[in-house]
Amino acid sequence: FLKNVIGDDKNFEKELFEIFIDNVKYNISKLENAHLEADCNGWYMASHALKGSSASIGAFEFAKILEFSQKNSDNDLESKAKILENIKQEFSLIEKFINNRLAIL
């Protein structure tokens, strides 16, 4: 997906992936804080931001998880803990893929 968008620009791809990883880590931290503080709006906003950036690089399964997270921003803390764990697990897979890709760029 991403190659169709940016072509063969390896420098841009590398830069985009690095920014994406930083952005995800930042927003996961925001989700963790929102969870601890029972901040539904903060949860919604972090989920929304991550959903958009994930879809833009072709991480569509991650975007679906984040859409679910966004739609369930008013859920109880226990269910949000499960959502957060799913987000972290999926990101772990994406980060591994990206790191493998960056190693060959």
Side-chain angles (χ1 to χ4, degrees), residues 59-91:
F60 299 118
E61 281 303 311
F62 195 41
K64 286 179 189 176
I65 292 168
L66 293 159
E67 181 176 12
F68 180 81
S69 175
Q70 181 181 331
K71 287 180 179 179
N72 291 281
S73 61
D74 292 331
N75 279 17
D76 62 81
L77 294 177
E78 185 178 334
S79 90
K80 282 189 188 171
K82 290 177 186 175
I83 293 169
L84 185 55
E85 186 58 34
N86 286 339
I87 290 168
K88 289 178 179 181
Q89 287 175 356
E90 185 66 19
F91 175 60

Side-chain angles (χ1 to χ4, degrees), residues 2-3 6-18 97-105:
L2 188 59
K3 187 172 181 143
I6 66 170
D8 290 326
D9 188 340
K10 292 181 183 353
N11 288 330
F12 183 61
E13 181 179 0
K14 181 180 179 187
E15 192 175 321
L16 190 62
F17 278 149
E18 289 170 347
F97 170 83
I98 288 173
N99 287 333
N100 288 338
R101 179 72 182 144
L102 289 174
I104 61 171
L105 288 179

